[in-house]
Amino acid sequence: MENKGKLIVFSAPSGSGKTTIVRHLLKQEELQLEFSISATSRVPRGEEVDGKDYYFLSSKEFINKIKSDEFLEWEEVYRDNFYGTLKTEVDRIWKLGKHVIFDIDVSGGLRIKRKFPEETLAIFVKPPSIDELKIRLKKRKTESEDKINMRVAKASAELATSPLFDEIVVNEDLETALKDAYKLVDDFINTNKESK
């Protein structure tokens, strides 16, 4: 794979604001970022569109692609509920001459970092506290109390992995978090460009 771009990974517990940060960075054209669309075996929710929000696959299709080594990383998040990054997706973006930005769960983000240690900047987005995270998840009004409690429990485990990431952005004040994230990405893309 010649002419590789960079891989920018954003991982965080659900409700930390990583998606908001990623969307902001994608609008900054000078960064030359393109969003990596994940594949999933879950059914589309609401207005989600295949090939735009996710590549929607059946569980059987997903498992077949795992067997034929078509994923950069994948995970069974809940039983029969798979998420992953197709190798063809990264190739597609690199062919455009752009850098790949991921909005991905913690273990997926760390797997990408392990596979491409030099090309990857792994950023962990941290909520100010678990209590604040719970408030944010409740404000979404998209999930039951049980589901929220499940996400909060998972968040505690995910927060413990934050030292494994290259950088941590604390999203207490969104404006500050957006600026911090922009600077980290801009520095990473441009520093490595000059050293070639």
Side-chain angles (χ1 to χ4, degrees), residues 45-187:
R45 291 184 196 136
E47 306 284 305
E48 288 178 335
V49 178
D50 182 53
K52 180 176 174 274
D53 299 295
Y54 285 96
Y55 296 114
F56 292 102
L57 307 169
S58 68
S59 290
K60 190 177 178 193
E61 286 174 312
F62 206 106
I63 290 163
N64 286 337
K65 286 185 183 298
I66 292 169
K67 287 178 182 163
S68 57
D69 193 31
E70 291 179 50
F71 285 100
L72 189 60
E73 60 78 34
W74 64 272
E75 184 179 11
E76 188 172 12
V77 180
Y78 304 106
R79 190 177 157 76
D80 289 331
N81 197 337
F82 295 94
Y83 287 86
T85 303
L86 290 160
K87 291 176 180 175
T88 51
E89 180 64 0
V90 173
D91 285 337
R92 174 185 77 81
I93 295 168
W94 280 347
K95 280 188 184 118
L96 294 171
K98 292 191 168 189
H99 305 289
V100 187
I101 190 166
F102 299 87
D103 174 344
I104 194 172
D105 78 327
V106 167
S107 47
L110 290 171
R111 275 198 290 274
I112 289 170
K113 178 69 185 175
R114 275 197 298 274
K115 274 192 181 163
F116 296 100
E118 296 303 309
E119 296 92 349
T120 304
L121 173 65
I123 299 173
F124 189 94
V125 180
K126 216 173 189 176
S129 67
I130 286 285
D131 291 340
E132 175 60 25
L133 190 71
K134 197 166 186 175
I135 291 163
R136 288 179 188 177
L137 289 169
K138 281 183 173 169
K139 273 188 190 162
R140 283 184 180 177
K141 293 187 167 66
T142 54
E143 290 167 337
S144 66
E145 189 70 28
D146 281 353
K147 194 91 181 214
I148 288 170
N149 290 334
M150 203 164 86
R151 287 197 185 276
V152 169
K154 191 174 181 215
S156 299
E158 288 172 332
L159 284 168
T161 69
S162 65
L164 302 172
F165 284 76
D166 297 316
E167 301 287 349
I168 295 171
V169 170
V170 179
N171 185 10
E172 188 158 8
D173 169 65
L174 183 59
E175 280 309 303
T176 306
L178 293 175
K179 283 190 187 111
D180 292 348
Y182 179 92
K183 185 169 179 1
L184 290 170
V185 172
D186 189 47
D187 288 352

Side-chain angles (χ1 to χ4, degrees), residues 17-64:
K18 75 176 181 314
T19 304
T20 305
I21 292 171
V22 167
R23 283 187 185 140
H24 170 76
L25 292 172
L26 280 164
K27 288 181 191 148
Q28 315 311 309
E29 289 178 17
E30 68 283 3
L31 293 176
Q32 293 281 299
L33 300 172
E34 181 84 13
F35 184 67
S36 169
I37 301 166
S38 295
T40 183
S41 65
R42 73 160 172 76
V43 295
R45 291 184 196 136
E47 306 284 305
E48 288 178 335
V49 178
D50 182 53
K52 180 176 174 274
D53 299 295
Y54 285 96
Y55 296 114
F56 292 102
L57 307 169
S58 68
S59 290
K60 190 177 178 193
E61 286 174 312
F62 206 106
I63 290 163
N64 286 337

